[in-house]
Amino acid sequence: MTTVATARSMRQRAELTFKQNVQHGRHGWLRLTPAYSVKLVDQVLAEFGDGARTVFEPFSGTGTTPLCAAYRGLRAVATDINPFLIWLARVKTAKYTEKHRAELQAASKKIATRVRDGKARTTALPPLKNIERWWHPAELEFVAALRAEVDRAADGPVSDLLKVAFCRSMISLSNAAFNHQSMSFKDSSRTRQVSLALEHPNAKFVEQFLSDVRTVADAATDNPPGNVRIEKRDARGQSGLGAPEGSFDLLITSPPYPNRMSYIRELRPYMYWLGFLTDAKEAGELDWEAIGGTWGIATSRLLTWKPTDAFIPKYLPPIIEKISAAHPKNGVLMAQYVHKYFDDMFGHFQSAAKIVRPGGSAHYIVGNSTFYGHLVPAERLYCDQLLAAGFKAADARAIRKRDSKKELVGFHVIGVR
Ligand SMILES: C[S@@+](CC[C@H](N)C(=O)[O-])C[C@H]1O[C@@H](n2cnc3c(N)ncnc32)[C@H](O)[C@@H]1O
């Protein structure tokens, strides 16, 4: 197995993260942190996809894997538990006609005229905490009007495409900054100056929306030839995927990392505006269902969580104990977090062993992590858990350094069934 030591000299390869997807047609429709790179999926498909016809993606997120697979003419089934991401992945992998594209453009022009002429309706603001931190008043008013107009402008596939364009405009008019691993806020005094400097902010905002519609329209008819099915399912204990179990040639995914990133937290502006979230309690409940979820109610529930009979390699409990002792207030919580993460992942690996056909392979792009200076070697744990779950062989390759901390590395873990 490749060790952290051999990975020290590695560069932080931005082309292997979601940042690279922005250039890639439908892959670049929305720039969301959970996504991994098209290039990485293509490399895995090129190296391991010889003769493969079917691909399974258990943590589908923004749908990078099924879209890449479908562009190569493969059949893909993908699952996730986040309803917004299920919707987005379906929209990104659907087939659109020239008629859809023409209707999209016509609908967007109508919306633009209504907003410019001050005839737009508006909608109630979503209960996003501290919404005034996200948008300045003029931008917020525009986003609410755009949301209302998009809703009444079209149905079916055209409405979905309009919503993607709405999401692009909504986020680009916000104060959210994406220069960290997770979303944060821009320096608000600077953005405020920019926005006050505009003579007719509304007209600029409308231009932004029309440009976002063009980006969506440009890739809409670039239809992938392969068939895709996206379903809402928990990656732990999956069965009955429609295809006979054991039939998938490849499993390719980037699962949640054991690093406390909350996808619900990251995606909340999209989820609230599109109505996939209606309150904070619901957000906490959804995050509790997610592997590695840690937001709101999910945090307090961790403290009373009890392990199942999942296989845990014997070198993990001593690491968990060290994490627990490392901090008087949060050590126990972090220790529970790490333990539950690998308990959950084992549940998934057991399902994966049933889903991948004998001779097929599973590919996990995952990073290790540290808690109070204690390294959690996710790649080694994955290999041992894959073997215990029924895979014949498992190995990990280091692929990139994740940030300035020298021990944080991204791995490609391969399990052969
Ligand atoms: C790193 S992201 C996946 C990124 C994806 N490969 C892409 O390119 O967008 C991890 C995903 O796992 C999903 N997830 C977390 N827990 C899950 C579970 N128990 N079952 C299914 N999906 C889950 C999250 O909603 C999130 O979309």
Side-chain angles (χ1 to χ4, degrees):
M1 199 192 335
T2 315
T3 62
V4 173
T6 58
R8 289 236 161 100
S9 57
M10 264 181 305
R11 287 180 299 125
Q12 277 180 255
R13 301 174 60 190
E15 79 275 17
L16 299 186
T17 70
F18 73 95
K19 289 176 191 151
Q20 187 244 358
N21 296 358
V22 177
Q23 315 294 332
H24 271 77
R26 291 185 186 195
H27 286 289
W29 274 354
L30 289 187
R31 183 185 171 184
L32 301 180
T33 324
Y36 65 166
S37 97
V38 177
K39 190 163 177 184
L40 209 45
V41 184
D42 277 340
Q43 278 170 4
V44 174
L45 284 167
E47 189 178 346
F48 298 88
D50 226 11
R53 288 187 300 124
T54 52
V55 175
F56 177 63
E57 157 61 286
F59 300 100
S60 156
T62 63
T64 311
T65 311
L67 189 55
C68 284
Y71 273 127
R72 287 178 171 247
L74 302 169
R75 193 171 85 77
V77 175
T79 63
D80 202 284
I81 42 157
N82 183 314
F84 161 68
L85 292 172
I86 305 277
W87 168 80
L88 178 63
R90 282 183 180 150
V91 174
K92 279 168 73 178
T93 53
K95 311 227 194 277
Y96 302 97
T97 59
E98 281 301 338
K99 187 164 174 270
H100 288 137
R101 187 150 83 158
E103 283 173 17
L104 168 67
Q105 270 150 349
S108 68
K109 277 186 195 133
K110 253 194 216 156
I111 295 173
T113 309
R114 285 176 60 83
V115 176
R116 272 199 208 105
D117 296 351
K119 291 200 176 125
R121 300 188 182 190
T122 189
T123 188
L125 296 181
L128 188 55
K129 200 170 162 199
N130 295 331
I131 200 162
E132 68 288 351
R133 274 195 84 193
W134 287 88
W135 295 272
H136 296 300
E139 284 85 342
L140 187 56
E141 197 181 314
F142 172 79
V143 171
L146 186 60
R147 180 71 191 91
E149 288 300 315
V150 158
D151 232 12
R152 61 199 292 275
D155 301 312
V158 177
S159 164
D160 286 333
L161 295 171
L162 278 173
K163 283 178 187 157
V164 174
F166 163 81
C167 285
R168 289 178 63 91
S169 304
M170 172 276 285
I171 212 71
S172 72
L173 292 174
S174 80
N175 297 321
F178 297 92
N179 44 2
H180 298 290
Q181 188 195 18
S182 57
M183 199 197 283
S184 59
F185 289 100
K186 290 176 201 156
D187 174 355
S188 129
S189 56
R190 263 188 26 227
T191 47
R192 184 71 282 198
Q193 278 168 11
V194 173
S195 125
L196 286 177
L198 304 173
E199 243 176 77
H200 301 291
N202 221 0
K204 281 273 177 193
F205 302 160
V206 169
E207 280 315 309
Q208 173 72 49
F209 173 63
L210 290 174
S211 142
D212 288 327
V213 168
R214 280 194 296 277
T215 303
V216 174
D218 281 349
T221 47
D222 186 10
N223 289 308
N227 272 324
V228 176
R229 205 173 77 230
I230 317 267
E231 288 188 14
K232 184 171 184 297
R233 274 172 195 263
D234 194 319
R236 297 160 289 194
Q238 273 174 332
S239 62
L241 286 158
E245 286 200 10
S247 69
F248 286 90
D249 299 316
L250 290 168
L251 179 157
I252 306 176
T253 191
S254 130
Y257 290 12
N259 65 358
R260 304 203 65 222
M261 150 96 74
S262 161
Y263 296 105
I264 303 294
R265 183 177 183 281
E266 288 295 303
L267 300 172
R268 67 198 189 282
Y270 303 95
M271 294 185 69
Y272 273 112
W273 276 111
L274 293 192
F276 288 103
L277 267 184
T278 48
D279 61 38
K281 187 164 178 295
E282 203 183 357
E285 290 293 342
L286 270 176
D287 218 26
W288 177 245
E289 271 183 56
I291 296 178
T294 175
W295 203 35
I297 193 95
T299 306
S300 52
R301 284 195 191 153
L302 260 182
L303 286 170
T304 53
W305 171 80
K306 296 268 180 296
T308 69
D309 59 358
F311 168 76
I312 297 291
K314 61 180 185 308
Y315 51 87
L316 185 59
I319 299 174
I320 291 175
E321 275 163 35
K322 281 186 198 146
I323 295 171
S324 177
H327 192 277
K329 191 161 159 266
N330 293 328
V332 174
L333 184 71
M334 293 304 128
Q336 285 280 90
Y337 174 83
V338 172
H339 195 170
K340 181 171 187 297
Y341 174 90
F342 287 100
D343 193 298
D344 282 341
M345 283 309 292
F346 187 68
H348 161 67
F349 293 136
Q350 285 179 307
S351 304
K354 292 187 210 137
I355 289 166
V356 178
R357 70 161 171 78
S361 56
H363 302 264
Y364 293 88
I365 305 301
V366 68
N368 59 5
S369 48
T370 57
F371 289 81
Y372 308 117
H374 299 292
L375 185 73
V376 177
E379 77 291 3
R380 188 173 166 206
L381 287 150
Y382 271 39
C383 287
D384 290 330
Q385 287 195 318
L386 280 165
L387 294 174
F391 281 78
K392 274 206 207 98
D395 199 3
R397 299 174 180 171
I399 49 172
R400 74 176 192 101
K401 206 173 142 207
R402 292 209 335 270
D403 67 11
S404 50
K405 276 199 202 169
K406 60 181 179 301
E407 65 276 19
L408 290 189
V409 174
F411 291 91
H412 173 184
V413 175
I414 306 165
V416 179
R417 201 41 204 97

